Amino acid sequence: MPASAVPEGVPLTFDEELALLVDFAKDGGLVPAIVQDAGDGTVLTVAYMDAEALRRTLESGRTWFYSRSRQEYWQKGETSGDRQYVREVRMDCDGDALVVLVDQHGRGACHTGERSCFFRTIGAGPGVPAP
């Protein structure tokens, strides 16, 4: 797809005061961002955001992360073409983790070509229903 044909993200309306409550100082400036398919709830990947990556995400409507290994910002899909368009960003009760609900475009979120990075099952069991 030519770059000109790639749809732009839609900037999110957001609560600036609530965004300031994200506790980036707690763990060295980064918080985990759990990326989830907005349509079916599948957890697609986990990446990390700092305040700048969150700002870029909110303002662009596309996911931005901070690479701990490369020490740089990256926008999902710029290399693979498998882009994420953000519908909603949620913060947990402690302010130290985010859930990012997205519309996933392309093959998927995983660099292996899988839809989700969580495609391997280590263990499984019947669970226990709630009483």
Side-chain angles (χ1 to χ4, degrees):
M1 175 183 290
S4 61
V6 174
E8 292 293 321
V10 177
L12 281 69
T13 56
F14 62 96
D15 184 329
E16 291 182 41
E17 289 181 23
L18 193 56
L20 291 172
L21 295 178
V22 179
D23 191 356
F24 293 108
K26 190 174 193 175
D27 202 19
L30 298 173
V31 298
I34 299 96
V35 181
Q36 193 172 13
D37 186 287
D40 66 12
T42 300
V43 175
L44 299 171
T45 194
V46 174
Y48 292 87
M49 288 186 176
D50 65 1
E52 176 65 14
L54 176 60
R55 182 193 66 75
R56 290 180 185 196
T57 296
L58 294 170
E59 290 180 358
S60 71
R62 298 261 317 275
T63 52
W64 280 89
F65 305 107
Y66 187 78
S67 169
R68 298 178 298 166
S69 59
R70 295 187 316 268
Q71 302 286 298
E72 66 183 16
Y73 295 99
W74 60 281
Q75 186 178 44
K76 176 62 182 147
E78 288 311 293
T79 302
S80 67
D82 301 327
R83 294 171 175 83
Q84 296 171 341
Y85 295 90
V86 181
R87 285 203 198 179
E88 190 173 327
V89 177
R90 297 179 183 175
M91 177 179 66
D92 78 333
C93 58
D94 294 327
D96 60 2
L98 301 170
V99 171
V100 184
L101 301 172
V102 301
D103 292 321
Q104 178 69 52
H105 288 219
R107 296 174 308 161
C110 188
H111 73 282
T112 66
E114 297 288 333
R115 177 170 180 255
S116 169
C117 292
F118 298 94
F119 61 92
R120 298 178 287 187
T121 302
I122 294 173
V128 177

